[in-house]
Structure formats: structure tokens, C-alpha cells
Amino acid sequence: MPVADPSFGWQEAVAAFVIISVVAFLVTWVVTDLGHVSRTPYVAVLTLTTLALAAGYVAWSGTSVADLVTQGWVWGIVAGLVAAALVAPLVRRLPSGPRPPRSRLLGRFLWEGVVYGTAEAILLATLPVLALWQAADALGWTDTAWMNAASGALAIAGALFVIAVHHLGYREFRARAARKKLAGALVGCGIQALAFLLTGNVLAPIVAHILLHFQLTLRGNEMPPASDDELASYGTDRSRLTDAPAPAVPRTRAPH
């Protein structure tokens, strides 16, 4: 795992983790819930926010970007592929929807797969793990094998917290009907965080998250934020959140 500059102590690392957690929640809650921004422009806001947050963290901590990307890059890619394979059975259990037309498929892959997937991988599975691991390292909690394991468990727990608060910023994830979907996000992104922890290479979660979004797109599963129709299926609307079961939505045949 890349180390921080000696001047970056555990207090700074913990403060950075708190900032990451707050930003991870606000970027979804403010932009999509309060601002009602649709998915396409939201991906741009999320990406710019994540890049700014990541740049601020590496500058503050003195972490080497080269180490994050190039150190053990082969193992990073392998770990990303393994993480994607582990999550694939969960994706196949989701109900499929209409696939985007071929004319839009490449654009969806690039924007919602590569760009969106990279931003979420850095925000949810990289930065929180890195911050808490470097906090533990500054405290001398990585000197023995069992302390390494305990520090790793702390870092993964922190990542799961950030993953949860980030997704709870979306209105649809706060509905009772979406609890399984939230659990799936925790499992999928949690495995990616573990892949980063084991390799110390940012390519591991990035590769895994891009492949996850590719799978979801091919199956016709829409990614957050949800549209008004999707919110209705969770028993929510734009003006009020309810825990009532989602009403049955009649299916109509498209006109020929």
C-alpha cells in the first residue's frame, strides 16, 4: 500500500476520511435529490468532484500517484478481473430491463461505464481505504501480521461506511424496497475495496467497477440516480419519501 509523507499524521488521515465521507454523501444528496440532476450531467459532477477530492488528498498526504497506478499494476488488473467475476453472479440475479439501442451503446459504455465507473471506484473503494490505512500506519498499527490484518479490516469497514452514506444520498436507496439493492452495492463495492487493499493499486477497483457497469448496462439495469418512473417503482416520488411497498406498475405493450 502506498505510504504517506511522514508529516501526514493519523489526525490528518482521519480528518481526510471524514471529508471523504461527507463529500461522498453530499455529492449524491445535493446534486440528485435536492437538485434533481439527471444521470448524464450528474456523472460529470461526480467525476469532477472525485478528481478534485483525490488530487487534494494525494497533495495533502504526499502519496505518490505513480505508486498508486504503476506499483503492482499487473496484480491490480488481475484483482480487478477477479473482483468483477465474484460480483457477476449477483448482477445476473437482478431483473433485466430493455437494453439501450446499439447506436447509443458505445456512448453508454464510455460515459456510464468508463467515466462513471472510474469515479465511483476512486471515491468509494480507494480513497477511504487509503486514508484509514495510512492513519493506521502513522499510529504504528501495521508493524505485525495481526496488526496488519486488523488495520485492513478497519480500512474495509471505513470503505463500507462511505459506500453506504454515498448510496443513501440517492432518494431511491432510502426506500424500504431498495434494501436488497443497497446490500448489493455494499457487497460489490466492498469486494472492490478489498481488491485495492490487497494490491495497493488503484487499477483493481477501477477495472472491477468499469466491468460492473458494463454488465449492468448490457442487462438493461439503470444506474443511479433513478428517473421519476424508477422512483415510482420504489414507492418514492420527488416530493416525499415513503417506506410503503412499491405499487404494481401495469405493463403496456409498445405500439407497433
Side-chain angles (χ1 to χ4, degrees):
M1 182 71 69
V3 297
D5 187 89
S7 63
F8 188 72
W10 69 267
Q11 299 97 329
E12 289 82 2
V14 171
F17 175 78
V18 172
I19 293 171
I20 292 165
S21 302
V22 172
V23 172
F25 173 74
L26 291 180
V27 74
T28 50
W29 181 59
V30 172
V31 178
T32 70
D33 195 352
L34 299 184
H36 302 168
V37 173
S38 61
R39 185 179 300 119
T40 299
Y42 164 69
V43 172
V45 175
L46 175 68
T47 301
L48 292 174
T49 301
T50 300
L51 291 177
L53 191 63
Y57 183 85
V58 297
W60 187 14
S61 66
T63 303
S64 169
V65 176
D67 286 348
L68 280 169
V69 177
T70 62
Q71 184 174 301
W73 65 270
V74 173
W75 285 115
I77 293 174
V78 171
L81 294 173
V82 172
L86 291 174
V87 176
L90 297 178
V91 176
R92 288 195 292 268
R93 293 177 62 180
L94 295 173
S96 59
R99 289 178 57 176
R102 288 187 178 182
S103 59
R104 297 175 53 194
L105 196 57
L106 179 58
R108 286 278 294 273
F109 275 161
L110 292 176
W111 190 244
E112 296 188 10
V114 176
V115 177
Y116 194 0
T118 299
E120 284 200 326
I122 294 172
L123 178 62
L124 305 180
T126 303
L127 291 178
V129 175
L130 186 61
L132 288 183
W133 177 267
Q134 290 182 341
D137 187 58
L139 287 167
W141 292 357
T142 58
D143 296 337
T144 64
W146 73 267
M147 293 177 75
N148 257 324
S151 298
L154 175 64
I156 296 301
L160 291 174
F161 174 77
V162 173
I163 294 162
V165 299
H166 174 77
H167 284 86
L168 289 173
Y170 296 115
R171 181 174 292 266
E172 63 266 32
F173 278 92
R174 299 198 299 272
R176 180 179 298 172
R179 287 178 180 174
K180 288 185 178 180
K181 190 175 181 180
L182 177 59
L186 287 169
V187 172
C189 296
I191 290 174
Q192 296 167 21
L194 179 61
F196 172 66
L197 176 69
L198 294 176
T199 63
N201 190 286
V202 71
L203 293 178
I206 288 177
V207 168
H209 214 99
I210 288 175
L211 292 177
L212 170 63
H213 281 202
F214 279 180
Q215 293 176 73
L216 291 170
T217 300
L218 286 174
R219 290 183 55 83
N221 298 122
E222 298 290 342
M223 283 163 281
S227 64
D228 289 341
D229 289 343
E230 291 170 309
L231 285 174
S233 71
Y234 285 108
T236 66
D237 56 42
R238 288 292 182 190
S239 62
R240 180 175 62 88
L241 180 67
T242 176
D243 279 339
V249 179
R251 296 181 179 273
T252 57
R253 185 180 297 274
H256 293 283

